[in-house]
Amino acid sequence: MTEMPIPLAGVVGHPIAHSKSPQLHKHWLKSYRLPGDYIPMDVQEDDLEQVIRALPKAGFVGVNITIPHKIAILQMADLVTDRATLIGAANTLIFRRDGKIHADNTDGYGFIANLRAGAPGWRSDLGPAAILGAGGAARAVISALIEAGVTDILLSNRTRPKADALRAEFGSKVRVVDWVQAGNMLEEAATVVNTTSLGMTGAADFRVPLDGLRRGTIVTDLVYAPLRTRLLQEADEMGCVTVDGLGMLLHQAVPAFERWFGVRPEVDMRTRAAVLG
Ligand code: NAP
């Protein structure tokens, strides 16, 4: 009788030491008493394809893909989900039994799941959503908001052509606002999302004026280091409902863990503690 191999998963990026995904997946494997392991892999761009093709033969059932490989990986996949195509990047690979590599993007799912968990009153018809930033994370957030039914998205980015490009791609539900006017668009917003790296430890300070925020506006920050960013602290003081970015990281991992290890994990306080610890 042949023994069942222990399923392996991991995260591929460069650099990789900062990734919180190993702590998260190892916590779930332990909590659900599942056989398996999750391994961080520092892989340079030139080696990416060779490494990815070898992993299924080494017992891997899939991997997460992180910076800087999220776009390049699409070329190596045999199947790409519609949402990964729409976002233009993948963060999750599933190595199928038939040898095919399936690429998905769960960032948008993680964003909405976190928003719904942290602000249970959130609905897609509450009013306009204001998005700060037009990088990779913004693409996932915009596509998830549109999929959830939001019909009015105000988008502002320091480099305006990047916001214009997203408007061209996602259509008339997106209205571009000049970066110098970013503070003004908050007055109209029912939901505010920071997708820039502003406010992150080691990055520039978040300086967008917040006096336009209204009591009850739902404000979420994708930055989770620090956990309580200046945006979230000030929004809290103004009576907004705030949702931190750590939950998005935890929720985006749920569908991948389920596909790889067969159990849909819970995101709870213990999960947060395991990752923060
Ligand atoms: P990215 O593609 O490099 O985009 C960075 C964004 O930040 C761009 O819009 C950029 O504007 C803006 N930005 C950077 N420095 C700025 C400055 N000094 N002034 C104004 N805008 C500035 O990065 P990303 O992948 O979208 O990630 C963005 C942030 O989201 C990161 O902090 C990342 O850690 C976080 N994130 C969190 C999660 C989560 O699960 N919570 C998931 C994904 C990403 P320009 O276009 O003008 O450069």
Side-chain angles (χ1 to χ4, degrees):
M1 204 171 78
T2 51
E3 260 182 65
M4 282 290 282
I6 290 177
L8 300 174
V11 56
V12 174
H14 178 71
I16 205 63
H18 67 281
S19 175
K20 292 191 182 294
S21 295
Q23 276 158 273
L24 171 61
H25 287 271
K26 278 171 180 282
H27 163 75
W28 280 335
L29 284 167
K30 204 170 151 204
S31 302
Y32 296 102
R33 296 171 194 217
L34 295 169
D37 207 348
Y38 187 97
I39 297 155
M41 286 168 274
D42 192 336
V43 179
Q44 309 240 6
E45 203 177 332
D46 287 349
D47 300 326
L48 183 64
E49 178 143 22
Q50 213 182 347
V51 170
I52 294 295
R53 300 251 171 245
L55 288 175
K57 297 171 202 154
F60 280 79
V61 290
V63 284
N64 285 125
I65 301 293
T66 189
I67 291 169
H69 305 315
K70 284 178 156 190
I71 297 168
I73 201 70
L74 290 180
Q75 305 302 322
M76 295 163 208
D78 301 299
L79 294 142
V80 180
T81 59
D82 289 347
R83 56 189 180 173
T85 304
L86 191 65
I87 296 166
N91 70 344
T92 303
L93 298 184
I94 292 138
F95 302 142
R96 295 183 0 170
R97 288 215 178 91
D98 62 7
K100 294 215 174 350
I101 297 177
H102 181 121
D104 193 8
N105 194 314
T106 62
D107 276 339
Y109 163 82
F111 168 74
I112 292 286
N114 184 43
L115 191 59
R116 290 192 196 279
W122 184 83
R123 290 195 328 267
S124 59
D125 60 358
L126 286 180
I131 315 287
L132 299 158
R139 299 177 73 93
V141 166
I142 292 169
S143 68
L145 286 171
I146 290 175
E147 198 185 323
V150 177
T151 53
D152 194 7
I153 294 173
L154 299 153
L155 175 64
S156 190
N157 192 52
R158 174 182 61 174
T159 309
R160 181 166 174 140
K162 280 166 75 179
D164 291 332
L166 290 185
R167 140 101 205 173
E169 230 175 283
F170 288 100
S172 59
K173 287 176 184 157
V174 177
R175 285 190 277 155
V176 176
V177 176
D178 217 74
W179 186 240
V180 289
Q181 306 279 321
N184 299 356
M185 76 177 180
L186 307 185
E187 291 167 21
E188 263 191 80
T191 312
V192 174
V193 188
N194 175 39
T195 78
T196 73
S197 47
L198 291 172
M200 188 171 76
T201 308
D205 288 344
F206 183 95
R207 289 190 196 280
V208 176
L210 298 174
D211 17 323
L213 282 177
R214 286 171 293 134
R215 175 168 283 280
T217 300
I218 295 165
V219 179
T220 183
D221 200 334
L222 266 53
V223 171
Y224 57 82
L227 202 52
R228 300 307 293 171
T229 59
R230 199 197 120 206
L231 167 64
L232 295 182
Q233 282 174 27
E234 289 195 15
D236 258 340
E237 285 160 17
M238 294 171 82
C240 299
V241 177
T242 59
V243 183
D244 71 50
L246 182 65
M248 174 172 167
L249 179 83
L250 307 182
H251 282 283
Q252 63 78 30
V254 168
F257 187 91
E258 184 179 20
R259 290 291 294 270
W260 298 330
F261 300 114
V263 170
R264 191 166 182 86
E266 281 292 321
V267 173
D268 54 18
M269 292 315 285
R270 287 180 53 239
T271 321
R272 283 175 71 90
V275 172
L276 288 172

